Amino acid sequence: MTISICLIVKNEEAVLKRCLDSLRCIADEYVIVDTGSSDATKEIAAEYTDRIYDFEWRDDFAAARNFAFSKCSCDYIYSADADEVLDDRAGQEFVKLKTVLDGSVDIVQFIYTNQLEYNTTYNFDRELRPKLYKRLRTFIWEGEVHEQVRLEPVIFDSEIEIIHKPTSLHSGRDFDIFLKLIDRKGELEPRLMDMYTRELAVSGGDSDFVKALEYFKKSFEHESDTDRMKNELYVIMRGARVSGDRDTFMKYALRTLALGDITSETAFELGEYYRLEGDRTEADMWYYNAAHETEPALDHRYHDEYLAEYLRKK
């Protein structure tokens, strides 16, 4: 089976060559879609392929990915990001995988690693992610009787590791997109709302929480999923605290009681509130709860690193 290496890029001169070199061993073609680079990204890409396309950026990663996939011509498409790399061992395993692909598998998942080092939006360092896709999918009938077309893709979970090595965070760009989507659509679909919440917890600054505050208050009042409500409460509490709105902070802090167990993030936020109020005894109690009596839902650092930082400052 042949493989197209497919990327969407913008100003990736610092990492693009590293990525493309690591994928040479399995690449039958490179397809690179540029969304507006002002550095040497396209010149570096031209060292590997003439299949370089411009795509006008419109705050829509799915549209860019779909356009990029439409330009691929091989049996399978490997969707790469410029800040990823395969080491030599993973490259050799990928070569072996390529020799046994026979078209029966629709999607291959790889182990995505090194996530915690760069403050990504996950509480774990390794996860399976779909990365290799069959370009043209054939519909298959199954079942000896009452036959039906198989709708679910055939997915293979490989043990090949992809190393994530970004040089910077993209949260500022993402927050801008989230706010534009809210203005345009009025609300975010649940998956995007979850990602917005998680990204705020991991890399949001005080101003990002303030900008998100009113939308999260509105969303919370219509939310029915308990876990999502707990996470939204954290965003509301922090946004209210940093904007100096004590009434809103305490109103939503009390809402946590109705939801049962609180999260490390919420407990830590209560610690921050009382620390800034000058009540060290109450602050210490909530920091202790964040570290020992609760579990993090959004960012593991609220359970360990942030508490250690607080103790160093005491």
Side-chain angles (χ1 to χ4, degrees):
M1 293 289 150
T2 56
I3 295 177
S4 300
I5 306 299
C6 184
L7 296 90
I8 57 173
V9 296
K10 181 180 180 181
N11 294 335
E12 301 286 6
E13 65 177 7
V15 294
L16 183 58
K17 179 176 175 59
R18 180 186 68 188
C19 173
L20 298 181
D21 280 345
S22 74
L23 295 169
R24 278 188 184 274
C25 56
I26 51 93
D28 293 289
E29 70 174 5
Y30 290 103
V31 173
I32 299 176
V33 171
D34 189 273
T35 61
S37 293
S38 57
D39 64 3
T41 293
K42 293 173 74 173
E43 287 77 4
I44 294 171
E47 298 174 13
Y48 297 83
T49 182
D50 60 358
R51 305 195 68 172
I52 302 170
Y53 304 91
D54 291 315
F55 183 81
E56 183 178 354
W57 180 243
R58 50 179 185 263
D59 295 324
D60 190 335
F61 279 98
R65 295 281 186 195
N66 287 332
F67 176 79
F69 269 35
S70 75
K71 300 300 182 182
C72 296
S73 61
C74 291
D75 300 310
Y76 282 86
I77 302 172
Y78 181 77
S79 182
D81 288 327
D83 58 6
E84 301 169 359
V85 63
L86 291 180
D87 62 19
D88 290 340
R89 178 180 178 182
Q92 293 170 11
E93 293 173 345
F94 204 156
V95 169
K96 294 178 182 177
L97 172 65
K98 182 180 177 181
T99 63
V100 298
L101 284 173
D102 60 3
S104 61
V105 173
D106 297 308
I107 298 173
V108 180
Q109 297 199 114
F110 294 72
I111 300 174
Y112 208 72
T113 72
N114 211 39
Q115 299 194 117
L116 296 183
E117 183 175 347
Y118 295 97
N119 293 344
T120 58
T121 58
Y122 297 91
N123 278 333
F124 38 84
D125 209 38
R126 295 158 58 87
E127 68 160 345
L128 279 169
R129 284 194 185 182
K131 296 292 290 184
L132 185 66
Y133 304 87
K134 188 177 178 182
R135 185 174 65 87
L136 298 177
R137 186 179 173 194
T138 303
F139 288 99
I140 302 295
W141 287 90
E142 59 185 8
E144 290 81 357
V145 65
H146 300 300
E147 70 282 358
Q148 63 181 8
V149 171
R150 186 181 70 221
L151 300 178
E152 296 297 323
V154 176
I155 300 175
F156 172 71
D157 295 340
S158 79
E159 297 182 357
I160 300 172
E161 295 186 354
I162 302 169
I163 305 173
H164 186 216
K165 300 178 70 174
T167 57
S168 63
L169 292 175
H170 302 299
S171 53
R173 173 204 64 194
D174 293 348
F175 294 147
D176 183 57
I177 293 175
F178 286 132
L179 292 173
K180 288 179 179 177
L181 284 173
I182 292 169
D183 286 342
R184 189 168 72 244
K185 295 184 175 182
E187 62 181 0
L188 297 175
E189 62 183 73
R191 184 184 68 85
L192 287 182
M193 187 62 172
D194 289 344
M195 294 305 297
Y196 189 16
T197 308
R198 190 175 298 279
E199 198 158 1
L200 281 168
V202 171
S203 56
D206 286 349
S207 63
D208 298 310
F209 282 85
V210 173
K211 292 176 183 176
L213 177 57
E214 290 305 316
Y215 177 69
F216 272 76
K217 287 167 61 178
K218 176 183 176 182
S219 176
F220 179 83
E221 299 303 331
H222 296 91
E223 184 56 66
S224 59
D225 182 272
T226 300
D227 290 336
R228 188 171 287 119
M229 291 172 74
K230 291 179 180 179
N231 294 338
E232 291 180 3
L233 276 174
Y234 155 72
V235 176
I236 295 169
M237 289 168 62
R238 180 166 172 184
R241 176 179 62 81
V242 300
S243 62
D245 188 347
R246 297 175 61 181
D247 289 341
T248 295
F249 180 91
M250 295 309 302
K251 172 183 176 180
Y252 285 92
L254 290 172
R255 293 282 190 95
T256 63
L257 300 177
L259 296 179
D261 295 335
I262 68 172
T263 65
S264 296
E265 291 85 358
T266 301
F268 189 91
E269 192 55 42
L270 284 161
E272 288 286 271
Y273 175 83
Y274 284 108
R275 177 180 66 83
L276 294 171
E277 289 288 301
D279 189 339
R280 286 284 181 172
T281 301
E282 195 72 10
D284 286 350
M285 186 271 290
W286 284 111
Y287 285 131
Y288 181 88
N289 270 269
H292 302 292
E293 303 294 338
T294 57
E295 293 297 327
L298 297 167
D299 185 352
H300 70 98
R301 293 174 298 177
Y302 286 92
H303 197 55
D304 42 53
E305 293 178 23
Y306 289 163
L307 178 66
E309 180 181 346
Y310 165 72
L311 292 174
R312 285 195 300 270
K313 293 178 179 178
K314 284 189 66 175

